[in-house]
Amino acid sequence: MKEIKNKINPNKAPGFDLITGKIIQQLPKKAIIKLTNLINAAFRLNYVPTLWKVAEVIMIPKPGKPPHEPTSYRPISLLPVLSKLFEKLLLKRLKPIIERKKLIPDHQFGFRENHSTIDQVHRIVNIIEDTFEKKKVCATIFLDVAQAFNKIWHDGLLYKLKTMLPTQYAKILESYMSEKFFRIKQEDTYSELKEIKAGVPQGSVLGPVLYLLYTAP
């Protein structure tokens, strides 16, 4: 598979299953064929295996912050490499649909290819200049959503996906968003598995796209 050779970073940290990108890339051809069949079955059945939906969270201390405060740590989610591979293949199928149906507004520049912050600044400046030339009032509101990815309402997201996407992909994403779990790793100690009941996966390929689709209206 080209995706395994070109899209998997062998140096990235593994998820809870300890399977690294390097291991995947060194699999023999027969194992790659089995893996391809497994991923194709996931698409055919609209089902994402539960073991692909477990995130291992490590806590990175923030510089200069008191170590006894929970807010002094930044959580990093490590996802299984197989999950990332599946997400990339799914996103490859979703992108043409999203672009064809124009599901993401043109003025949304976040997490999009060929949409830089500089371009967005130019867009805003042009709007301001045009307003001034017409001698009108130009007002702006800046909104900073704290922990935006973590606040996504699952039922609301799934409802929107059903109205936006073909049934097959809405069902795949419903499976992808359900029965997701995480555990926290601190040195050699692990917490129990806890179910994720809100938000889109951080560190995932699909997370930013799902956030954009949720906030598009």
Side-chain angles (χ1 to χ4, degrees):
M1 292 174 64
K2 292 181 180 179
E3 295 291 331
I4 291 178
K5 183 179 179 180
N6 301 326
K7 299 294 185 179
I8 290 182
N9 187 340
N11 300 318
K12 284 288 185 70
F16 84 106
D17 57 7
L18 301 180
I19 298 176
T20 64
K22 188 175 182 179
I23 291 175
I24 299 294
Q25 290 179 339
Q26 291 180 347
L27 290 175
K29 184 178 181 180
K30 185 178 290 187
I32 296 294
I33 293 174
K34 292 288 187 181
L35 179 57
T36 303
N37 292 337
L38 181 63
I39 292 175
N40 287 337
F43 280 113
R44 187 171 63 254
L45 299 173
N46 301 327
Y47 174 77
V48 181
T50 303
L51 291 179
W52 292 2
K53 299 185 288 185
V54 179
E56 184 154 289
V57 180
I58 58 174
M59 309 302 291
I60 305 297
K62 297 178 181 177
K65 298 290 184 178
H68 59 280
E69 294 288 344
T71 55
S72 299
Y73 296 86
R74 183 164 62 95
I76 302 295
S77 294
L78 302 178
L79 303 175
V81 175
L82 291 178
S83 173
K84 291 182 178 180
L85 177 60
F86 174 79
E87 287 182 34
K88 288 176 180 179
L89 294 171
L90 176 54
L91 183 58
K92 199 172 182 179
R93 300 186 183 196
L94 287 175
K95 272 187 174 181
I97 300 172
I98 293 171
E99 293 171 359
R100 185 178 70 250
K101 300 180 72 172
K102 297 184 177 180
L103 298 178
I104 298 175
D106 291 335
H107 58 260
Q108 172 58 267
F109 277 52
F111 313 112
R112 300 182 70 187
E113 293 178 0
N114 304 318
H115 288 68
S116 71
T117 52
I118 295 176
D119 293 331
Q120 185 71 300
V121 169
H122 284 311
R123 173 179 170 271
I124 294 174
V125 170
N126 288 337
I127 292 173
I128 294 171
E129 289 179 344
D130 182 63
T131 306
F132 281 176
E133 287 177 3
K134 294 177 180 178
K135 297 183 179 180
K136 294 182 179 180
V137 175
C138 184
T140 181
I141 297 175
F142 293 93
L143 177 65
D144 183 10
V145 182
Q147 299 180 347
F149 274 29
N150 295 332
K151 302 290 180 67
I152 298 299
W153 176 37
H154 278 182
D155 289 343
L157 171 62
L158 293 176
Y159 174 80
K160 290 184 179 183
L161 293 177
K162 288 177 182 179
T163 63
M164 292 176 168
L165 300 173
T167 302
Q168 178 193 3
Y169 295 109
K171 286 183 177 180
I172 292 176
L173 289 170
E174 183 176 6
S175 175
Y176 172 77
M177 294 300 298
S178 64
E179 295 184 313
K180 297 183 78 69
F181 297 89
F182 77 96
R183 72 177 183 183
I184 297 176
K185 177 185 177 183
Q186 183 64 26
E187 296 181 352
D188 295 328
T189 305
Y190 299 89
S191 72
E192 296 180 355
L193 287 175
K194 298 289 184 180
E195 188 173 1
I196 302 172
K197 298 182 178 181
V200 293
Q202 296 199 23
S204 70
V205 178
L206 287 175
V209 176
L210 293 176
Y211 180 81
L212 294 184
L213 292 174
Y214 181 78
T215 58

